[in-house]
Amino acid sequence: MSQDNRLQDIVEREKGLSQSLTTRQLTMIAIGGAIGTGLFLGSGLAIGLAGPSVIISYTIGALIALLLMGCLAEMTVAHPVTGSFGAYAEKYINPWAGFTVRYSYWFSLVCAIGTEVTAVAVYMKYWFPTVPAIVWIVLFAAVLMYVNATTVKLFGAVEYWFSIIKIAAIIGFIILAVYVIVGADSGAAIGTQNYTNDGGFFPNGVWGMWIAIFVSLFSYLSIEMIAVSAGEAKDPEKAVPIALRSAVVRLVLFYLLTLSLMLMIVPWGMAGIDKSPFVKVMEIVNIPGAAAIMNFVVLVAALSAMNSQLYISTRMMFSLSRGGYAPKVLGKLNSKSVPSVALFASVIGIAIATIFTVVRPDAAFATMISLSSFGAMFAWFMIFITHLFFRKKWNETNGRKLPVRMIGYPYLTIFGAVLLASVVLSTWFSPDFKATLTLGFPWLIFITVCYFFWKKANTKSSVIVEDTTESSGSGII
């Protein structure tokens, strides 16, 4: 099958989803996924690794994310399908690439859902320290499954308002932090001196800064969700570029500005994942009720990210099913045009997180980051690689100009791929995140073996159908 026919086949087989998401909702879906646990809880882990140099870590992570979005925007506007970068890999590289990218990304989202629900349990302890974590996990999982099982319009509306709450809270935090810093007296332990106190700007060396980039990448994960949701957008050619640019700019500003201000107020040595650094800032500022309000905001942030991840993992499994890579039942739509069976298949991460939260509560968050990161990082890496194939093929076969173009092709595409791979491979030397590769590479081998078994079975089925058809034809003649 030619590449053009292959993509048209993908478009046809993924029909049936409701195309009702607006540009504003697309932007909020991306922000909703990325402004979650990565910023509100994961930033504490990153600060503990890098100290004040975490600002550089998040800047490098933002650079990788920006390069990735440039590549993805170009391909998404040209081909707005639900399978997104998995479909592009299938079309422009080969079916194995499409199979492994979609399954790896789906698995990473499933585990990321577990990360968010683990964080939810942490946040709820602030108010209800004696209530078992599993109660909150089951309760909030049920609510968000209901939201995702109804209409995509309801999902978009809920995610929009979740994200509005988060953005308003971050802007409020920035204003409050600036007020506190400017108004602090000379004797207070608040100000730029916190960047160099307690070991200097690089208290754990350049290595600490470098490995914290990995946590920053986990924080930026989910901005690629715009590409997946493009298949349900009203006007993807206009909506996707606007949503991508808006989401990336806001994310970079929010992350870098909030971290810079936070480090002036909270000494980096106080960072950790026992509670959000944002809550710690409010406790230090000592505004009555502020810490509880911020804890509510970070709870909403985790629920919002979990909501987005449930949506995207469901669509990715739907795409796999419609492509014949997963059971057909997972590609069925309910009366609301939602792939509800695929939704139920995507809550496995909640069960995994529940087990880790009960068995190893102290290590549950870092473990879930490691489990979820490899698949997403592999998908990001393959987006860069796919873009190289995409542009080359487009230039050879299409006379029309691309509506959106990645600047600096191919050099910035290659640079982004190399920089990303370097950060991920570095986790091999980090005890906290080594599981990313020790679990990731076996997963890649496993999913590749699964692909070849699928391909063999699919080939046999095709041969049987052809033989049956020929035999029936001979009998008639």
Side-chain angles (χ1 to χ4, degrees):
M1 183 184 290
S2 70
Q3 287 180 324
D4 289 336
N5 289 338
R6 184 183 295 155
L7 187 67
Q8 188 56 39
D9 177 56
I10 293 170
V11 172
E12 289 297 320
R13 75 194 186 202
E14 292 185 357
K15 281 186 175 179
L17 295 170
S18 174
Q19 294 181 309
S20 56
L21 292 175
T22 65
T23 303
R24 290 190 308 168
Q25 288 174 334
L26 281 178
T27 303
M28 291 306 180
I29 287 170
I31 291 175
I35 299 182
T37 302
L39 174 61
F40 290 111
L41 191 60
S43 56
L45 181 60
I47 292 169
L49 290 167
S53 66
V54 74
I55 297 169
I56 298 176
S57 305
Y58 273 80
T59 302
I60 295 173
L63 174 62
I64 296 172
L66 285 168
L67 294 175
L68 181 96
M69 286 299 98
C71 297
L72 194 52
E74 184 178 299
M75 295 188 291
T76 302
V77 173
H79 307 302
V81 294
T82 301
S84 187
F85 40 85
Y88 310 149
E90 179 182 339
K91 170 180 165 60
Y92 289 103
I93 303 179
N94 55 47
W96 169 85
F99 184 93
T100 53
V101 166
R102 275 178 282 200
Y103 261 113
S104 295
Y105 186 65
W106 174 79
F107 181 71
S108 77
L109 286 173
V110 163
C111 292
I113 292 167
T115 305
E116 301 298 342
V117 83
T118 301
V120 165
V122 172
Y123 300 146
M124 291 306 294
K125 277 188 177 181
Y126 182 88
W127 292 300
F128 307 100
T130 60
V131 177
I134 193 169
V135 172
W136 306 118
I137 290 172
V138 172
L139 175 63
F140 288 116
V143 171
L144 293 183
M145 283 182 68
Y146 170 78
V147 169
N148 277 267
T150 50
T151 64
V152 72
K153 206 167 186 178
L154 175 62
F155 161 79
V158 170
E159 194 52 46
Y160 179 81
W161 288 108
F162 268 169
S163 296
I164 287 291
I165 291 171
K166 289 187 291 187
I167 290 172
I170 291 173
I171 292 172
F173 175 85
I174 290 170
I175 294 170
L176 176 63
V178 170
Y179 173 78
V180 169
I181 292 166
V182 171
D185 58 53
S186 56
I190 294 175
T192 54
Q193 67 268 22
N194 281 341
Y195 289 158
T196 53
N197 289 345
D198 196 15
F201 191 69
F202 293 91
N204 295 323
V206 175
W207 172 253
M209 180 277 296
W210 179 259
I211 205 65
I213 298 173
F214 180 73
V215 182
S216 82
L217 290 177
F218 175 79
S219 300
Y220 290 122
L221 285 179
S222 298
I223 53 175
E224 72 285 345
M225 286 182 176
I226 291 176
V228 181
S229 55
E232 292 179 88
K234 285 182 178 178
D235 189 0
E237 288 195 5
K238 291 182 180 179
V240 171
I242 294 171
L244 279 169
R245 283 194 297 268
S246 176
V248 171
V249 170
R250 290 181 194 180
L251 286 172
V252 172
L253 284 175
F254 287 155
Y255 272 94
L256 296 183
L257 194 53
T258 52
L259 283 172
S260 299
L261 293 171
M262 188 187 300
L263 286 165
M264 290 188 199
I265 300 172
V266 181
W268 76 268
M270 292 176 63
I273 58 171
D274 57 319
K275 63 177 72 170
S276 169
F278 286 79
V279 175
K280 289 183 179 180
V281 168
M282 293 305 179
E283 289 176 343
I284 288 175
V285 173
N286 201 27
I287 297 176
I293 293 171
M294 185 53 69
N295 196 65
F296 168 75
V297 171
V298 296
L299 173 64
V300 168
L303 292 173
S304 171
M306 185 178 165
N307 192 37
S308 294
Q309 288 154 357
L310 267 175
Y311 167 80
I312 298 298
S313 60
T314 298
R315 269 56 183 180
M316 198 57 66
M317 182 51 68
F318 166 81
S319 177
L320 282 162
S321 176
R322 287 293 178 94
Y325 300 126
K328 286 185 179 180
V329 68
L330 295 169
K332 289 185 176 181
L333 300 173
N334 64 16
S335 59
K336 304 291 186 181
S337 298
V338 173
S340 53
V341 182
L343 170 64
F344 288 108
S346 297
V347 298
I348 299 171
I350 297 172
I352 296 172
T354 303
I355 293 169
F356 274 114
T357 302
V358 172
V359 177
R360 293 191 64 193
D362 56 325
F365 184 68
T367 302
M368 292 309 295
I369 284 183
S370 295
L371 284 172
S372 65
S373 293
F374 180 84
M377 292 296 99
F378 175 69
W380 275 30
F381 179 75
M382 290 300 291
I383 288 170
F384 284 118
I385 301 304
T386 303
H387 183 251
L388 294 173
F389 283 83
F390 163 80
R391 178 67 78 83
K392 184 174 184 295
K393 184 64 179 177
W394 185 276
N395 291 341
E396 289 174 355
T397 60
N398 288 275
R400 64 189 178 95
K401 187 178 178 181
L402 284 162
V404 176
R405 289 174 67 87
M406 166 68 175
I407 61 169
Y409 169 86
Y411 306 108
L412 288 182
T413 303
I414 294 170
F415 175 70
V418 171
L419 187 58
L420 174 64
S422 300
V423 172
V424 175
L425 291 174
S426 298
T427 60
W428 180 264
F429 305 100
S430 169
D432 291 329
F433 304 114
K434 190 174 182 178
T436 302
L437 297 180
T438 56
L439 296 173
F441 283 134
W443 161 261
L444 204 53
I445 294 169
F446 168 74
I447 204 66
T448 298
V449 171
C450 288
Y451 168 75
F452 284 109
F453 272 112
W454 169 86
K455 185 178 180 182
K456 187 176 180 181
N458 198 52
T459 303
K460 281 183 178 179
S461 298
S462 299
V463 171
I464 291 170
V465 170
E466 288 174 8
D467 287 347
T468 305
T469 304
E470 288 176 8
S471 299
S472 299
S474 300
I476 294 171
I477 292 170

